Amino acid sequence: MDLPQQIFRTYDIRGIVGEDLNEAIVEQIGLGLGTLLASEGSTTVVVGHDIRSSSAPFAASVRDGLLKSGLDVIEIGQVATPLLYWAVQHLGADGGVMITGSHNPVEYNGLKITRGVMPIWGEELQELRKIAIGSCAVDTPGQASCSDVLGPYIENRARRFQLPEGIKVAIDCGNGTAGPVAIPLFERLGIEVDALYPEPDGTFPNHLPDPEVPRYMKKLCEMVSEGDYACGFGFDGDSD
Protein backbone atom coordinates (compact mmCIF):
# COMPACT_ATOMS: atom_id res chain seq x y z
CA MET A 1 0.00 0.00 0.00
CA ASP A 2 1.27 3.47 -0.88
CA LEU A 3 0.98 6.09 1.85
CA PRO A 4 0.53 9.84 1.19
CA GLN A 5 3.86 11.53 1.83
CA GLN A 6 2.24 14.83 2.87
CA ILE A 7 0.71 13.32 6.02
CA PHE A 8 4.15 12.57 7.46
CA ARG A 9 4.91 15.95 9.01
CA THR A 10 7.82 17.05 11.18
CA TYR A 11 6.38 16.11 14.56
CA ASP A 12 3.42 13.88 13.81
CA ILE A 13 1.32 12.22 11.12
CA ARG A 14 -1.66 14.41 10.24
CA GLY A 15 -4.19 14.83 7.47
CA ILE A 16 -7.81 15.29 6.45
CA VAL A 17 -10.01 12.34 7.31
CA GLY A 18 -11.38 10.64 4.19
CA GLU A 19 -8.88 12.38 1.91
CA ASP A 20 -5.45 11.81 3.44
CA LEU A 21 -6.32 9.37 6.21
CA ASN A 22 -8.62 6.37 6.38
CA GLU A 23 -8.72 3.19 8.43
CA ALA A 24 -6.70 1.16 5.91
CA ILE A 25 -3.91 3.77 5.83
CA VAL A 26 -3.82 4.01 9.62
CA GLU A 27 -3.67 0.21 9.93
CA GLN A 28 -0.73 0.07 7.51
CA ILE A 29 1.07 2.75 9.53
CA GLY A 30 0.47 0.65 12.64
CA LEU A 31 1.91 -2.39 10.87
CA GLY A 32 4.95 -0.38 9.79
CA LEU A 33 5.49 1.02 13.28
CA GLY A 34 5.24 -2.45 14.75
CA THR A 35 7.71 -3.77 12.18
CA LEU A 36 10.16 -0.99 13.08
CA LEU A 37 9.84 -1.41 16.84
CA ALA A 38 9.92 -5.22 16.69
CA SER A 39 13.22 -5.03 14.78
CA GLU A 40 14.61 -3.14 17.80
CA GLY A 41 13.40 -5.74 20.30
CA SER A 42 10.20 -4.01 21.42
CA THR A 43 7.20 -6.12 22.42
CA THR A 44 4.37 -3.83 23.65
CA VAL A 45 2.78 -0.55 22.56
CA VAL A 46 0.09 1.54 24.29
CA VAL A 47 -2.70 3.02 22.13
CA GLY A 48 -5.00 5.89 23.14
CA HIS A 49 -7.24 8.36 21.33
CA ASP A 50 -8.97 11.73 21.68
CA ILE A 51 -12.65 12.60 21.23
CA ARG A 52 -12.96 13.13 17.47
CA SER A 53 -15.47 10.89 15.71
CA SER A 54 -12.77 9.18 13.64
CA SER A 55 -10.38 8.69 16.57
CA ALA A 56 -11.79 5.50 18.12
CA PRO A 57 -12.00 3.74 14.71
CA PHE A 58 -8.46 4.89 13.89
CA ALA A 59 -7.23 3.63 17.26
CA ALA A 60 -8.74 0.22 16.46
CA SER A 61 -7.03 0.28 13.06
CA VAL A 62 -3.59 1.13 14.42
CA ARG A 63 -4.10 -1.59 17.04
CA ASP A 64 -4.85 -4.12 14.31
CA GLY A 65 -1.74 -3.09 12.40
CA LEU A 66 0.47 -3.38 15.46
CA LEU A 67 -0.98 -6.81 16.26
CA LYS A 68 -0.25 -7.98 12.71
CA SER A 69 3.39 -7.02 13.25
CA GLY A 70 3.54 -9.38 16.22
CA LEU A 71 3.55 -6.73 18.93
CA ASP A 72 1.17 -6.74 21.89
CA VAL A 73 -1.11 -3.73 22.36
CA ILE A 74 -2.51 -2.18 25.54
CA GLU A 75 -5.56 -0.05 24.76
CA ILE A 76 -6.28 2.79 27.19
CA GLY A 77 -9.25 4.35 25.39
CA GLN A 78 -10.13 8.05 25.36
CA VAL A 79 -7.38 9.98 27.11
CA ALA A 80 -5.39 13.21 27.07
CA THR A 81 -2.04 12.97 25.29
CA PRO A 82 0.06 13.54 28.47
CA LEU A 83 -1.77 10.58 30.02
CA LEU A 84 -0.74 8.40 27.06
CA TYR A 85 2.91 9.33 27.62
CA TRP A 86 2.56 8.60 31.35
CA ALA A 87 0.86 5.26 30.64
CA VAL A 88 3.78 4.09 28.50
CA GLN A 89 6.03 4.30 31.57
CA HIS A 90 3.39 3.17 34.06
CA LEU A 91 2.57 0.04 32.06
CA GLY A 92 6.17 -0.75 31.17
CA ALA A 93 5.53 -0.52 27.43
CA ASP A 94 8.07 0.13 24.69
CA GLY A 95 6.15 2.90 22.93
CA GLY A 96 2.84 4.62 22.39
CA VAL A 97 0.46 5.87 19.72
CA MET A 98 -1.99 8.68 20.38
CA ILE A 99 -4.72 9.23 17.79
CA THR A 100 -5.47 12.94 17.92
CA GLY A 101 -6.20 15.95 15.78
CA SER A 102 -4.95 18.17 18.63
CA HIS A 103 -5.96 21.81 17.99
CA ASN A 104 -6.61 21.38 14.25
CA PRO A 105 -10.01 21.86 12.55
CA VAL A 106 -12.62 19.13 12.92
CA GLU A 107 -11.86 17.51 9.56
CA TYR A 108 -8.29 16.64 10.64
CA ASN A 109 -6.89 13.76 12.61
CA GLY A 110 -3.48 12.20 13.12
CA LEU A 111 -1.02 10.09 15.07
CA LYS A 112 1.55 11.09 17.68
CA ILE A 113 4.07 8.27 18.10
CA THR A 114 6.68 7.54 20.74
CA ARG A 115 9.51 5.10 21.22
CA GLY A 116 9.48 4.79 24.98
CA VAL A 117 8.33 8.28 25.98
CA MET A 118 10.43 10.05 23.34
CA PRO A 119 8.69 11.14 20.12
CA ILE A 120 9.43 9.63 16.74
CA TRP A 121 9.72 12.71 14.53
CA GLY A 122 11.51 14.38 11.63
CA GLU A 123 13.44 12.14 9.25
CA GLU A 124 12.49 9.09 11.29
CA LEU A 125 8.85 9.63 10.36
CA GLN A 126 9.88 9.59 6.69
CA GLU A 127 11.75 6.36 7.32
CA LEU A 128 8.65 4.96 9.05
CA ARG A 129 6.65 5.68 5.89
CA LYS A 130 9.10 3.66 3.78
CA ILE A 131 9.01 0.77 6.23
CA ALA A 132 5.20 0.83 6.41
CA ILE A 133 4.80 0.74 2.63
CA GLY A 134 6.70 -2.54 2.48
CA SER A 135 5.50 -4.16 5.69
CA CYS A 136 3.60 -7.45 5.79
CA ALA A 137 1.86 -9.31 8.58
CA VAL A 138 3.82 -11.92 10.51
CA ASP A 139 2.65 -15.48 11.12
CA THR A 140 2.09 -15.02 14.86
CA PRO A 141 0.08 -11.88 15.72
CA GLY A 142 0.33 -10.07 19.02
CA GLN A 143 -2.32 -9.94 21.73
CA ALA A 144 -4.52 -7.00 22.77
CA SER A 145 -5.53 -6.01 26.29
CA CYS A 146 -7.13 -3.00 27.97
CA SER A 147 -6.10 -0.88 30.93
CA ASP A 148 -7.90 1.90 32.83
CA VAL A 149 -5.16 4.39 33.67
CA LEU A 150 -7.10 7.53 34.60
CA GLY A 151 -7.46 6.76 38.31
CA PRO A 152 -3.82 5.69 38.79
CA TYR A 153 -2.67 8.75 36.82
CA ILE A 154 -4.61 11.18 39.03
CA GLU A 155 -3.38 9.55 42.24
CA ASN A 156 0.21 9.47 41.00
CA ARG A 157 0.17 13.15 40.02
CA ALA A 158 -1.61 14.21 43.19
CA ARG A 159 1.02 12.57 45.40
CA ARG A 160 3.70 14.78 43.88
CA PHE A 161 2.26 18.13 44.99
CA GLN A 162 1.08 19.82 48.16
CA LEU A 163 -0.75 23.09 47.57
CA PRO A 164 -2.09 25.72 49.98
CA GLU A 165 -5.82 25.78 50.60
CA GLY A 166 -8.15 28.23 48.93
CA ILE A 167 -6.82 28.14 45.35
CA LYS A 168 -9.52 28.65 42.74
CA VAL A 169 -8.97 28.39 38.98
CA ALA A 170 -10.99 28.68 35.79
CA ILE A 171 -10.41 26.30 32.91
CA ASP A 172 -11.63 26.17 29.32
CA CYS A 173 -11.73 22.53 28.24
CA GLY A 174 -12.90 23.40 24.72
CA ASN A 175 -15.02 20.21 24.61
CA GLY A 176 -11.75 18.27 24.22
CA THR A 177 -10.13 15.64 26.42
CA ALA A 178 -9.35 17.97 29.36
CA GLY A 179 -12.66 17.75 31.25
CA PRO A 180 -12.48 14.12 32.40
CA VAL A 181 -8.89 14.46 33.65
CA ALA A 182 -8.14 18.09 34.55
CA ILE A 183 -11.23 18.64 36.71
CA PRO A 184 -10.81 15.56 38.94
CA LEU A 185 -7.04 16.09 39.12
CA PHE A 186 -7.34 19.71 40.24
CA GLU A 187 -10.07 18.79 42.72
CA ARG A 188 -7.92 15.94 44.07
CA LEU A 189 -5.22 18.59 44.67
CA GLY A 190 -7.72 20.66 46.68
CA ILE A 191 -8.23 23.28 43.98
CA GLU A 192 -11.70 24.70 43.35
CA VAL A 193 -12.48 24.55 39.64
CA ASP A 194 -14.98 26.36 37.43
CA ALA A 195 -14.95 24.85 33.95
CA LEU A 196 -16.11 26.02 30.56
CA TYR A 197 -17.18 23.39 28.00
CA PRO A 198 -16.01 20.33 29.99
CA GLU A 199 -18.07 17.78 28.03
CA PRO A 200 -16.01 15.94 25.38
CA ASP A 201 -17.54 16.60 21.97
CA GLY A 202 -15.54 16.08 18.79
CA THR A 203 -17.72 18.52 16.86
CA PHE A 204 -16.43 21.36 19.13
CA PRO A 205 -19.76 23.19 19.31
CA ASN A 206 -18.45 26.21 21.25
CA HIS A 207 -15.06 26.91 19.69
CA LEU A 208 -12.09 25.07 18.23
CA PRO A 209 -9.88 23.92 21.12
CA ASP A 210 -6.88 26.08 20.20
CA PRO A 211 -5.86 28.32 23.13
CA GLU A 212 -3.30 30.15 20.98
CA VAL A 213 -6.18 31.93 19.20
CA PRO A 214 -7.15 34.92 21.38
CA ARG A 215 -10.82 35.01 20.39
CA TYR A 216 -11.29 31.43 21.60
CA MET A 217 -9.98 32.42 25.03
CA LYS A 218 -12.15 35.55 25.36
CA LYS A 219 -14.72 34.05 27.73
CA LEU A 220 -12.02 32.46 29.89
CA CYS A 221 -10.18 35.77 30.12
CA GLU A 222 -13.40 37.51 31.14
CA MET A 223 -14.01 34.90 33.86
CA VAL A 224 -10.53 35.36 35.33
CA SER A 225 -10.63 39.15 35.20
CA GLU A 226 -14.09 39.37 36.78
CA GLY A 227 -13.75 36.56 39.34
CA ASP A 228 -11.54 35.63 42.27
CA TYR A 229 -9.44 33.12 40.36
CA ALA A 230 -5.72 32.60 40.80
CA CYS A 231 -5.43 31.98 37.04
CA GLY A 232 -7.08 30.41 34.06
CA PHE A 233 -6.07 27.44 31.90
CA GLY A 234 -7.05 26.95 28.26
CA PHE A 235 -6.55 23.44 26.84
CA ASP A 236 -6.26 22.25 23.27
CA GLY A 237 -8.09 19.18 21.98
CA ASP A 238 -5.69 16.57 23.37
CA SER A 239 -4.74 18.62 26.46
CA ASP A 240 -0.99 18.68 25.92
Side-chain angles (χ1 to χ4, degrees):
M1 176 185 294
D2 193 17
L3 300 173
Q5 188 164 12
Q6 71 271 15
I7 67 175
F8 290 81
R9 311 292 183 100
T10 301
Y11 296 106
D12 59 12
I13 297 170
R14 186 173 71 250
I16 297 175
V17 176
E19 294 182 18
D20 305 317
L21 285 173
N22 58 40
E23 292 176 28
I25 288 173
V26 172
E27 181 175 324
Q28 192 68 19
I29 293 171
L31 176 57
L33 175 63
T35 301
L36 170 63
L37 294 180
S39 71
E40 301 169 349
S42 298
T43 62
T44 308
V45 175
V46 178
V47 175
H49 63 83
D50 71 10
I51 44 74
R52 295 174 186 242
S53 60
S54 60
S55 291
F58 281 0
S61 296
V62 79
R63 173 205 64 205
D64 291 346
L66 288 163
L67 293 175
K68 287 180 178 180
S69 76
L71 294 192
D72 294 335
V73 176
I74 304 173
E75 297 178 275
I76 60 172
Q78 180 181 298
V79 294
T81 291
L83 208 154
L84 181 280
Y85 298 151
W86 180 84
V88 170
Q89 277 194 318
H90 174 68
L91 298 171
D94 300 300
V97 180
M98 178 71 185
I99 305 296
T100 178
S102 188
H103 59 275
N104 292 285
V106 293
E107 64 268 24
Y108 281 84
N109 213 331
L111 298 82
K112 294 180 178 180
I113 301 172
T114 72
R115 175 191 288 109
V117 295
M118 301 304 294
I120 293 178
W121 67 286
E123 288 301 317
E124 197 163 23
L125 280 180
Q126 298 303 321
E127 184 62 26
L128 172 60
R129 174 178 178 266
K130 295 176 184 177
I131 292 171
I133 288 173
S135 292
C136 298
V138 299
D139 293 334
T140 306
Q143 296 183 328
S145 61
C146 299
S147 181
D148 183 0
V149 294
L150 179 58
Y153 173 78
I154 289 173
E155 290 304 311
N156 179 276
R157 298 297 89 182
R159 286 197 301 268
R160 298 190 63 184
F161 301 95
Q162 289 186 336
L163 301 176
E165 295 181 358
I167 296 177
K168 183 178 179 181
V169 301
I171 62 175
D172 184 338
C173 302
N175 297 114
T177 58
V181 59
I183 295 173
L185 175 57
F186 284 176
E187 290 178 342
R188 176 68 176 78
L189 289 165
I191 299 170
E192 184 180 349
V193 181
D194 286 336
L196 293 169
Y197 321 127
E199 303 84 5
D201 185 339
T203 66
F204 307 123
N206 294 286
H207 63 74
L208 195 66
D210 186 351
E212 293 186 348
V213 178
R215 69 177 183 275
Y216 295 156
M217 296 292 98
K218 187 172 184 287
K219 189 167 183 178
L220 177 65
C221 291
E222 290 173 351
M223 282 182 65
V224 174
S225 65
E226 296 170 1
D228 57 344
Y229 301 100
C231 61
F233 294 92
F235 291 93
D236 69 350
D238 64 330
S239 309
D240 65 347

